[in-house]
Amino acid sequence: MVHLNANEVRQLLHNKFVVVMGDSVQRAVYKDLVLLLQKDCLLSTSQLKAKGEMSFEHDVLLEGGRLGPMHNGTHYREVRQFCSAHHLVRFYFLTRAYSPYVEKVLAQLLWAEHRPDVVVMNSCLWDVSRYGRDSMGSYRKNVERLFWRLHRVLPESCLLVWNTAMPVAKTVSGAFLPPEHRLRRARLRADVVEANFYSASEARRHGFGVLDLHFHFRHSSPDRQPDGIHWNARAHRKLTQLLLAHLADAWGGDVPRGNPVGRWMWEGPASGLRGPTRDASRLEDGGGESAEEPRASRPPRPACPSAQSWRPPVPLPRDRRCFPRCPQGAGSRPDQSRRRQRCSGDPSELRARYGLEANLMGGLQRRRGRIHTAFEQHRHHVLHRASPPYPPGPPERPRRRWRRGREPRQGRAHGPGTQ
């Protein structure tokens, strides 16, 4: 498997806007990606368990989290964003595949100043365990509506990657399952497999990319946390590398192979190689995870290809900045064009801009009265880009009723002499 270091990840995601949407597992995907964009170290246990914190590795909490009440309900919200000179990564916490909140997020991405280049998404565990007995049937309908809307909202240049839900343990004690849903814990393992089949099939039907994390981590139970749901830092780094390899393959990029950092990640500290977290200074700065028990070494990997089989990464361009920081001068005027605006490091300013985009989205997307169905939209020949996600059906045609034993009227003669 290809393993990229921080410098190579920055080059791969240069001037890219990445959006991650999902539950707490996808939040760890966002955190590991943000950390890898800055330095070569793993997430600490406290960073993996943290929820709704005001800042993580120089990112900003834009909405929800500790800005509001903290709870484990289905209405919990958390929006985070990491912005640098050349990278923009945003995370939305979701508890359902499709809901009015998801429609709000999609409309915000549609009308926002920055159009996403990559969308990484998953929603499964909350859907099949917190929404009643017919949760699986509702999940299938919501997944169909979700991909129908994504196909119409996202630009053609955007790459969507649907992550299948990772395998859960036989005994689950996650906090997202309250005591009144204990009966769902026994079936959660099988429900995840069934939900992954439906969601992956629907994603492929719409032409979206699928990253089968359930398959890749089917034998990685030692890396799973005691709650049976979440995973440790090494598993999330492997997940990030799988995601980056998928993006590089989709974009046709050349990535280096035979990276010793990747071998250290695969075989663990027992391999004797120098890993990214063996440096004490980096451990102190990033809180990297290095106190895990040594693991048995895997079989030797095949020899790396020759130097002629790959090209070195292209140097990072320095002349153009896609997300530069705002200047400190008072006389600078903001750019009012549709180009990507400058990204400020002030958390209050970022939250204000995020709220302004949400209000702007609400003004551009007026909905008065009841929601129109797909038939009414075809009848009036109006199909708005932010319309509700009902699958469009064929327009209704007038039907003629014929009685048995009678010929059509146009075939019969009319007049006083006919009987």
Side-chain angles (χ1 to χ4, degrees):
M1 185 177 64
V2 177
H3 293 267
L4 306 179
N5 55 30
N7 186 31
E8 294 163 348
V9 173
R10 286 192 291 266
Q11 296 181 34
L12 178 64
L13 301 180
H14 182 74
N15 286 353
K16 301 294 184 182
F17 178 20
V18 182
V19 177
V20 182
M21 293 188 284
D23 53 9
S24 57
V25 177
Q26 304 305 312
R27 178 173 55 202
V29 173
Y30 159 82
K31 288 185 175 182
D32 191 74
L33 182 60
V34 169
L35 181 64
L36 188 56
L37 281 171
Q38 302 177 67
K39 47 193 171 183
D40 288 311
C41 65
L42 301 179
L43 292 168
S44 64
T45 304
S46 59
Q47 289 175 337
L48 284 172
K49 293 182 178 180
K51 168 184 175 181
E53 63 270 32
M54 297 300 297
S55 179
F56 162 79
E57 293 294 336
H58 307 97
D59 78 337
V60 177
L61 178 65
L62 299 178
E63 181 185 354
R66 298 196 177 277
L67 295 176
M70 299 291 294
H71 57 87
N72 293 325
T74 57
H75 298 285
Y76 177 77
R77 300 289 180 260
E78 183 177 348
V79 182
R80 316 191 64 87
Q81 178 174 292
F82 170 78
C83 184
S84 65
H86 298 280
H87 307 92
L88 182 60
V89 187
R90 186 179 296 176
F91 169 74
Y92 294 91
F93 188 90
L94 304 181
T95 60
R96 204 167 194 179
Y98 182 81
S99 63
Y101 176 71
V102 175
E103 179 66 25
K104 177 183 175 181
V105 172
L106 295 180
Q108 182 180 356
L109 295 177
L110 175 65
W111 299 109
E113 200 69 25
H114 307 306
R115 303 301 298 273
D117 299 294
V118 180
V119 174
V120 182
M121 190 173 183
N122 170 261
S123 182
C124 178
L125 294 179
W126 289 72
D127 296 76
V128 300
S129 61
R130 296 290 296 270
Y131 292 96
R133 297 181 178 180
D134 193 25
S135 57
M136 186 60 66
S138 301
Y139 179 72
R140 295 184 62 179
K141 296 179 181 179
N142 290 333
V143 165
E144 293 176 0
R145 297 172 181 176
L146 171 67
F147 289 124
W148 190 86
R149 284 296 287 137
L150 290 173
H151 187 75
R152 283 152 180 79
V153 170
L154 299 179
E156 295 182 359
S157 60
C158 179
L159 177 62
L160 185 136
V161 181
W162 178 262
N163 290 342
T164 60
M166 303 178 71
V168 299
K170 296 181 180 180
T171 304
V172 176
S173 60
F176 78 99
L177 275 177
E180 57 269 18
H181 293 80
R182 291 180 180 178
L183 297 178
R184 302 294 305 178
R185 300 183 181 184
R187 298 184 52 188
L188 185 60
R189 189 184 182 95
D191 289 344
V192 168
V193 177
E194 183 179 356
N196 283 337
F197 172 78
Y198 292 138
S199 61
S201 301
E202 192 69 19
R204 293 188 180 97
R205 191 173 71 88
H206 285 81
F208 296 134
V210 176
L211 184 58
D212 196 350
L213 299 180
H214 195 280
F215 171 79
H216 287 288
F217 290 89
R218 66 192 186 282
H219 300 309
S220 302
S221 56
D223 292 330
R224 191 161 43 210
Q225 299 286 3
D227 60 358
I229 298 293
H230 301 91
W231 300 75
N232 61 13
R234 182 173 288 107
H236 276 286
R237 181 52 53 88
K238 179 182 177 181
L239 192 160
T240 303
Q241 297 292 346
L242 289 171
L243 176 62
L244 294 174
H246 183 91
L247 298 180
D249 181 69
W251 291 332
D254 295 332
V255 292
R257 300 179 182 274
N259 192 347
V261 175
R263 184 179 176 186
W264 182 90
M265 286 297 307
W266 182 264
E267 299 181 0
S271 61
L273 298 174
R274 293 187 58 187
T277 59
R278 297 178 68 91
D279 190 358
S281 60
R282 293 187 178 182
L283 283 175
E284 294 177 359
D285 296 338
E289 184 78 19
S290 63
E292 300 184 6
E293 297 180 359
R295 303 172 56 187
S297 300
R298 296 181 178 270
R301 300 175 58 130
C304 60
S306 59
Q308 289 79 9
S309 61
W310 64 275
R311 292 177 296 176
V314 181
L316 190 67
R318 301 293 183 180
D319 53 343
R320 182 170 62 93
R321 289 197 172 191
C322 191
F323 306 107
R325 298 185 180 274
C326 291
Q328 300 297 332
S332 59
R333 299 180 57 183
D335 186 9
Q336 300 296 335
S337 63
R338 291 294 297 176
R339 296 178 300 176
R340 291 182 171 176
Q341 293 183 354
R342 298 178 176 180
C343 182
S344 172
D346 187 9
S348 59
E349 183 177 351
L350 289 176
R351 296 191 188 100
R353 179 176 296 177
Y354 174 81
L356 181 62
E357 290 181 356
N359 296 333
L360 179 62
M361 174 272 303
L364 292 176
Q365 192 182 6
R366 297 186 178 93
R367 289 183 179 176
R368 297 180 180 179
R370 64 186 184 89
I371 298 177
H372 297 283
T373 61
F375 164 70
E376 294 174 344
Q377 292 172 354
H378 283 280
R379 183 179 63 182
H380 295 289
H381 303 284
V382 176
L383 185 59
H384 197 268
R385 294 185 67 185
S387 58
Y390 296 103
E396 186 175 353
R397 298 179 180 177
R399 300 180 180 178
R400 295 182 179 181
R401 298 182 179 179
W402 309 105
R403 297 182 180 179
R404 296 183 178 180
R406 298 186 60 181
E407 298 179 358
R409 288 188 176 183
Q410 59 270 21
R412 301 177 58 185
H414 297 275
T418 59
Q419 296 181 357

